[in-house]
Amino acid sequence: EVQLQASGGGLVQPGGSLRLSCAASGFTFSSYALAWVRQAPGKGPEYVSAINTGGGSTRYADSVKGRFTISRDNAKNMVYLQMDSLKPEDTAVYYCERTRGGGSRWYILSEREYGYRGQGTQVTVSS
């Protein structure tokens, strides 16, 4: 069973930083691209970042480009999201996902390419 569990969220002031972690199990981690997706109350999901299988290529939504950094550790089956210069509009529940299967286009930040959403972690940016 594919499991993806995010952690590391919390309450932070505008301009602050948080580092999210996601622990994966139930599949060959190094064979799949990973993505972070967030969902704010009353809004649809927004894919904010993705990383390819080897970790050498990444993609970011315009809303977080230059502020967020995605990384992965294939030895530990972990993916991370470093979030800097946080804004109130970053407030959401954050989840990690993996590509759906062979032929997925990892570089497209879309629910058509990613799935298997697991437990999320709440990030609240407020003074």
Side-chain angles (χ1 to χ4, degrees), residues 18-36:
L18 279 175
R19 188 192 192 211
L20 305 184
S21 300
C22 177
S25 63
F27 62 100
T28 304
F29 183 78
S30 59
S31 296
Y32 291 86
L34 281 297
W36 285 94

Side-chain angles (χ1 to χ4, degrees), residues 73-90:
D73 186 334
N74 285 349
K76 296 182 178 179
N77 286 11
M78 297 288 293
V79 61
Y80 307 98
L81 188 68
Q82 177 67 41
M83 305 187 297
D84 299 317
S85 303
L86 283 162
K87 305 175 181 180
E89 51 263 45
D90 294 319

Side-chain angles (χ1 to χ4, degrees), residues 1-101:
E1 179 187 6
V2 174
Q3 292 192 343
L4 293 158
Q5 184 166 331
S7 62
L11 173 64
V12 62
Q13 292 187 341
S17 298
L18 279 175
R19 188 192 192 211
L20 305 184
S21 300
C22 177
S25 63
F27 62 100
T28 304
F29 183 78
S30 59
S31 296
Y32 291 86
L34 281 297
W36 285 94
V37 55
R38 66 186 181 187
Q39 188 156 16
K43 295 187 176 181
E46 178 188 15
Y47 286 80
V48 297
S49 185
I51 188 166
N52 72 342
T53 55
S57 295
T58 57
R59 291 290 185 275
Y60 297 94
D62 288 343
S63 58
V64 307
K65 199 171 294 183
R67 300 188 297 121
F68 290 11
T69 303
I70 190 172
S71 62
R72 66 189 292 165
D73 186 334
N74 285 349
K76 296 182 178 179
N77 286 11
M78 297 288 293
V79 61
Y80 307 98
L81 188 68
Q82 177 67 41
M83 305 187 297
D84 299 317
S85 303
L86 283 162
K87 305 175 181 180
E89 51 263 45
D90 294 319
T91 295
V93 178
Y94 284 72
Y95 305 87
C96 57
E97 294 186 352
R98 49 151 267 201
T99 44
R100 292 185 178 277

